[in-house]
Every structure is written in structure tokens, then in C-alpha cells.
Amino acid sequence: MASVTPDFDAVVIGAGFSGMYMLKALRDKLGLKVRVIEAGETVGGTWYWNRYPGARCDSDSYIYCYTFDKQLLREWEWSERYPQQPEILRYLEHVAKRHDLKRDIQFNTRVTGGAFDEATNLWTVETDDGAKVTARYLIAAVGSLSDTNIPSFKGMGDFKGQIYHTSRFPKEGVDFTAKRVAVVGTGATAVQAIPEIAQQAKHLTVFQRTANYCVPARNGKVDPELVKARKDDYDGIVERIRDSFFGQEHYFIPRSALDDTPEQREEEFDKRWDAGGFAFWLSNYQDMFFSQEANDFCADYIQRKIRATVKDPEVAEMLIPKGHAYGTKRQPLDTNYYETFNKDNVLLVDAATYGGIEAITKKGIRAGGRDYEVDIIVLATGFDALTGPIKALHLKGRGGAALEAAWSDGPHTYLGISVAGFPNLFTITGPQSPSVLTNMPVAIEQHVEWVTDCIDAMQKAGKTTIEATPEAQDEWGAHVNEVVSMTLLPGANSWYMSANIEGKPRAFLPYLGPEGMGGYRRKCDEVAANGYEGFTLA
Ligand code: NA7
């Protein structure tokens, strides 16, 4: 075995929440030489790229932040319950400065490939500036929702106006004043953007492929007394969210929806509806995700709310989801979303009612045989979730095997953090980990800390490689699928199920463990305590 000194101990790809903390932990805790490679011009990841109108976090701000820096937790003041994108970006810039991170981040550089060399046990990472660097460890901190999905509509190049994807909005913003605008998509992003765009645009046409169940966000200033109480209780909060199901202070009602009377159910639903945010989704009856009958009660409640809010009964019916159970797609949070369809300048074109998008034309969008003339098209069409950003790195493991080929039928991982045949590669919040089903910073901190401890243990034991065994990987994949198959989630054509993109093999992408995030953390800790069970260390 040739002994070669790598350029870096670790290369981290991405400088969002994950990459920033990964750098901090490896450099400042373990003393490693680390290089972060980031495509954007500054830190932020998701919060750097997603700057569409109305972009804000859907988790409460007091838990949508790092918890490793206790002093910062106390010092930082969020302006609202759910901060807007610029405020989160300011927070991340502040963290970068406070921990002196930027000196180890190479910005404006995209990773175009990476290969594991079995002779040296090192990764060689290639970037779009033509450079190559070597490292012992390769950490993909590329985000779960960062690979933009731009559908290949017929005639896309013909349009004479402007087309923007929400996750690639111009930095200087877009002036919609006096413009006829189309928004394609009605996911969580569109639900935030549509009310904002409708306020400015002369006319807005919304192209809906699938209706979504939206619940009120109830954003606003947080009572200063509550802010203080939370700051005084941060140790308790951190402990609770780390051990919780979804990385949030949300807990199921510990009984079946079928056990309550209609009046009791209504009262429980009202409480969660009034609380706003993810309460209705994640603090509801414990059988809501398992029993269609229980789920129907929740769906019926929201359907009644939609009918009560949207004045035109035909539009209300189009906005009511058909064909998937409540909560089986990502919960969008609504601030004036349903009300927006009462405005005279807003038109809803529903694929099921009026026909789907056939083509982009010179002047707009053709759907259901009709032409809709617009000046600007906003694609709120989402992402090639979880697997997309990792496949886009074009990684090659042992024997030159490509990750794209290994994942051609969906992701295969051990714990969502490691891939058999790809030694010393770690995927932060990768597919088959809790990731997008949690409050992301909680999942990110858990992965970063686990990887840091793992590398520390390897260094101390004089090991140079760690890699998942194919058996452990197969078992994990079977477990991921077995657990989700007990729920209603596989019945929805969601991006969780890889169903948002034509041709993407249907597979459940995150991990929904029987004990949620807390249980997953315990499983990872157990694996480490048992000498990295399921991995081969050499
Ligand atoms: P989503 O949730 O994937 O939403 C994308 C929307 O675009 C959704 O309504 C899609 O319909 C629609 N879509 C996607 N492709 C097409 C095509 N080809 N034609 C018409 N309509 C299409 O992405 P978001 O950005 O809203 O949210 C992603 C996550 O970011 C969010 O959940 C948060 O975690 C942050 P579909 O429902 O697939 O039928």
C-alpha cells in the first residue's frame, strides 16, 4: 500500500447548515485539515439559493438553528416565528464569521466528480475550475433539496418572456408589477410564493397538477415572555428535540382518532389549527398516518376549512386534494394562500379539471387545449430530492463503480450516511436517513456529530478506511421500506416517494423510523458503541 499524503484530511461538499458545521467540527474539534467546496458565492446552501418571494422557513425559528453554540442560542434574536430567507442567510453569515469558517471554504466552485483510489485509499475530487484535490474523507453536505427539477416542457426555449425556477431566483429580485405571471406548481414553495406574487402582478395564473392540504402558518412576532422562557430553557428544549420524533416539540395524541367523539375530535383539530405551523400535521392523532379512517377525519376538517375560505365553490373543489391521504405529502404552510384564490386577478388552472400543461409557447403556456398568455413564468416545480444532489457529484467508488449506477433503481445506503463500495464517503442527511422528515438542523447536527466521532475513533484506532458492508446496507434498505409500508405514505405520488419526476424509480427516499429521529439517533449511537457494527474498518 502506497502511503501518500493527501492535500486535505477531509473535503466537504457544500457550505450550508451541514457543511458549515462539518467544517467547524472536523477542523476545530479534531484539528483536521479541511477544505469545503461550495458552488455559491457565499455560505447558506438552501438559504442562499431559494430567494423567491415569500421564502421562509416552515419550522419555528427557536429550533431552526444550530444548538452546538449555546451562547449563540441565547444571543441571537429572531424577528418572527418563521424567519424569512434573508434573515436565515444573515444568521448563517454571522455563524461563519463567529467561527471563522470562510477561510477554509472555496466558493464559486462546483464539484464535477470524485473517485476513490484503492491504491492510496484517498478520494480525488474534481471541480469545474479544472482542479483536483485529494482527501482521506469525502463528506457530501449537499442538502436534500438542492438539485432543481426543471421539467422538460415542450417548447421551453420558444418563450419570449422570462422563466425563473424558485430555487434559482435572480438576486436582485423580479418586479412583477403590471405583469401577467404564471406559477407552475402548488407545493410548499408555491404556497409561500403565490400570495406574494398575486399582490404585485397584474394577473396571476396558477397551474396546479396536484392539490395540497395546506394548514395555517400563523406567522408573526413571538411574545417576548415566550422568547425569554425558551432562552431560559434551551438545555431542556435541545434535549427534547434531539430525542423527539420529528426534531420538533410536537407529540402525537396518544390515542386513536376513532376513540374520540366527533365533538372531541373537532376540539383537538381546532387547537392544532389555531396553533398553526406543523401542529396539525405532527401533533395529531397517533393513527393518522396509519389508518385511512383516522386520516379521513383530518382530511375532512381541512376540506371544510377550504370550502369556508374560498368563495367560488368550483375553485374550492379544485383546491381540495383527491387521491392521496392527508399528511402523506410535505405539509405546506399557508399565509393567505387559499384567500388568494378569491382575488379577481388570480386564476387557477387545475390539470384534473382543465387539462395539464402541454407546451410552453412563444407567448405563454398551453394547457388543456387553451393558451394562457403571460409575461413571466415561475417554475415552483421542486427538486430531484435526496438522491439527485448526490448523484450529481458523479462519484466513483471501488473498482470505478459509479454511484449513479449503484442507485439506478433508488438509493442503497447504510443508515443513510454511508454507501457500500464507497469507503470514507459520508452523506449528511442523505437518503434513507430521517432528514426531510425532521426539523433539518436537528438531523444535520446528529449526522455531523456522528461522523466527527467516527473519524475521531478511526484516527485513534489507526484505521484508514470505513465502509458499509453490503449485508448491513441491504438490511437497512429492507428496514426503511418495511417501516414505511405500514403507513399511508407509499400511497401518495410525493417527492418522498420519488414520484414528482417522470422516470425517477419509485422509492421512499427518507427514513421514517418507528421511534422517529430520537430512535434513529439511538440506533446510530448503538452502531458506534458496538465498534461500528455493519461497517468494515481497515
Ligand atoms: P414540491 O413540493 O415538489 O412541489 C412542486 C410542485 O410542482 C408540485 O405541485 C408538483 O406537482 C408541481 N410539478 C412538478 N413537476 C411538474 C410538471 N412537470 N408539471 C406540472 N407541475 C409540476 O416542491 P417545492 O419547491 O414546493 O417544495 C420542496 C420542499 O422545499 C418543501 O417540501 C420544503 O421541504 C422545502 P405534483 O404535486 O408533483 O403533482
Side-chain angles (χ1 to χ4, degrees):
M1 174 71 54
S3 173
V4 180
T5 308
D7 299 320
F8 297 96
D9 295 312
V11 162
V12 177
I13 311 170
F17 259 102
S18 309
M20 290 169 65
Y21 185 31
M22 197 74 247
L23 165 61
K24 165 81 188 157
L26 294 181
R27 187 191 70 184
D28 297 350
K29 195 168 169 211
L30 301 191
L32 299 190
K33 191 176 171 197
V34 184
R35 161 70 56 87
V36 180
I37 301 173
E38 164 59 51
E41 61 182 353
T42 186
V43 294
T46 286
W47 299 105
Y48 169 79
W49 295 105
N50 285 270
R51 45 179 105 90
Y52 57 87
R56 66 170 80 239
C57 179
D58 283 339
S59 286
D60 283 65
S61 50
Y62 78 100
I63 50 166
Y64 196 82
C65 47
Y66 291 116
T67 65
F68 74 86
D69 184 336
K70 296 282 181 289
Q71 198 190 345
L72 183 62
L73 264 183
R74 291 199 60 83
E75 280 172 19
W76 188 265
E77 299 285 347
W78 294 105
S79 69
E80 290 174 295
R81 179 171 176 183
Y82 314 98
Q84 285 204 355
Q85 173 266 337
E87 188 171 351
I88 304 175
L89 196 54
R90 247 189 342 268
Y91 167 78
L92 291 170
E93 288 282 2
H94 177 77
V95 172
K97 196 162 172 205
R98 184 178 164 94
H99 293 284
D100 192 17
L101 299 179
K102 286 194 178 178
R103 68 181 154 94
D104 292 306
I105 308 175
Q106 182 181 336
F107 293 107
N108 300 307
T109 311
R110 190 172 282 280
V111 169
T112 51
F116 182 75
D117 180 351
E118 290 180 80
T120 58
N121 284 331
L122 298 179
W123 278 94
T124 300
V125 179
E126 292 175 31
T127 47
D128 59 359
D129 55 359
K132 286 184 185 182
V133 291
T134 55
R136 173 80 54 212
Y137 304 102
L138 180 61
I139 294 130
V142 289
S144 308
L145 297 158
S146 50
D147 194 19
T148 297
N149 170 39
I150 300 188
S152 48
F153 294 119
K154 208 171 102 195
M156 196 93 142
D158 300 345
F159 185 57
K160 296 291 174 214
Q162 285 83 45
I163 303 187
Y164 305 106
H165 190 280
T166 45
S167 75
R168 292 292 180 273
F169 241 60
K171 245 182 128 187
E172 60 284 6
V174 175
D175 186 4
F176 294 105
T177 314
K179 303 284 189 203
R180 296 164 305 170
V181 183
V183 170
V184 180
T186 50
T189 296
V191 169
Q192 290 184 338
I194 283 167
E196 299 290 322
I197 296 173
Q199 276 188 41
Q200 228 188 54
K202 183 166 126 201
H203 191 270
L204 171 64
T205 311
V206 175
F207 291 86
Q208 170 178 278
R209 186 165 74 175
T210 314
N212 253 312
Y213 288 103
C214 306
V215 302
R218 306 214 188 281
N219 187 32
K221 299 272 173 227
V222 181
D223 178 356
E225 287 299 311
L226 180 57
V227 172
K228 183 175 177 307
R230 282 172 172 163
K231 283 188 189 274
D232 289 345
D233 182 31
Y234 252 126
D235 287 344
I237 289 171
V238 171
E239 204 183 308
R240 288 196 293 280
I241 58 174
R242 286 182 165 220
D243 192 41
S244 69
F245 207 102
F246 295 109
Q248 321 232 4
E249 292 195 281
H250 284 304
Y251 308 95
F252 295 119
I253 304 171
R255 58 180 187 278
S256 165
L258 280 63
D259 291 342
D260 277 0
T261 63
E263 294 72 28
Q264 285 168 329
R265 272 195 301 270
E266 201 70 3
E267 200 180 312
E268 295 290 3
F269 290 152
D270 282 347
K271 266 193 243 163
R272 285 153 186 82
W273 189 264
D274 295 345
F278 289 146
F280 198 91
W281 192 33
L282 306 179
S283 286
N284 220 312
Y285 288 99
Q286 65 176 15
D287 53 348
M288 187 203 86
F289 285 110
F290 301 94
S291 148
Q292 188 62 56
E293 214 179 337
N295 191 284
D296 286 345
F297 290 127
C298 305
D300 170 70
Y301 182 90
I302 305 182
Q303 289 170 15
R304 282 185 277 128
K305 292 288 186 189
I306 298 172
R307 290 192 183 104
T309 309
V310 180
K311 289 185 183 141
D312 181 333
E314 196 193 340
V315 177
E317 287 317 304
M318 290 193 286
L319 288 166
I320 289 175
K322 294 149 195 96
H324 68 269
Y326 168 64
T328 54
K329 297 186 82 164
R330 164 58 152 78
Q331 174 68 72
L333 294 192
D334 162 10
T335 302
N336 296 324
Y337 177 67
Y338 289 123
E339 282 87 346
T340 297
F341 293 95
N342 292 333
K343 289 170 90 104
D344 292 337
N345 67 331
V346 177
L347 174 70
L348 178 65
V349 179
D350 176 43
T353 316
Y354 294 112
I357 294 174
E358 290 158 33
I360 308 283
T361 63
K362 255 190 216 169
K363 292 184 172 176
I365 295 182
R366 183 168 304 143
R370 240 192 89 176
D371 284 310
Y372 298 86
E373 288 192 11
V374 292
D375 307 302
I376 298 174
I377 298 174
V378 175
L379 298 175
T381 46
F383 303 91
D384 184 349
L386 286 109
T387 46
I390 300 176
K391 280 177 151 187
L393 299 173
H394 305 300
L395 302 179
K396 291 194 163 65
R398 284 201 190 279
L403 189 76
E404 293 105 298
W407 285 7
S408 61
D409 60 347
H412 299 281
T413 77
Y414 181 39
L415 301 172
I417 206 164
S418 172
V419 185
F422 293 78
N424 293 357
L425 167 71
F426 298 99
T427 53
I428 304 300
T429 64
Q432 301 186 328
S433 77
S435 59
V436 292
L437 294 178
T438 71
N439 171 37
M440 288 302 288
V442 175
I444 287 168
E445 287 193 328
Q446 185 261 334
H447 264 188
V448 166
E449 287 161 14
W450 191 92
V451 169
T452 306
D453 291 346
C454 172
I455 291 177
D456 191 28
M458 286 175 67
Q459 309 261 97
K460 286 182 177 142
K463 304 287 185 191
T464 46
T465 59
I466 182 166
E467 94 189 86
T469 66
E471 297 76 28
Q473 176 166 288
D474 288 349
E475 264 176 47
W476 184 252
H479 169 65
V480 169
N481 292 326
E482 189 193 340
V483 180
V484 78
S485 71
M486 292 187 261
T487 73
L488 299 171
L489 269 75
N493 287 327
S494 63
W495 58 259
Y496 295 149
M497 291 303 305
S498 318
N500 60 324
I501 295 175
E502 221 186 310
K504 188 167 174 176
R506 195 175 180 98
F508 181 61
L509 294 174
Y511 170 56
L512 180 64
E515 292 168 59
M517 183 65 222
Y520 173 79
R521 177 190 303 278
R522 286 189 289 279
K523 166 73 185 169
C524 291
D525 289 348
E526 214 177 279
V527 164
N530 292 339
Y532 293 93
E533 199 176 13
F535 289 97
T536 305
L537 285 127

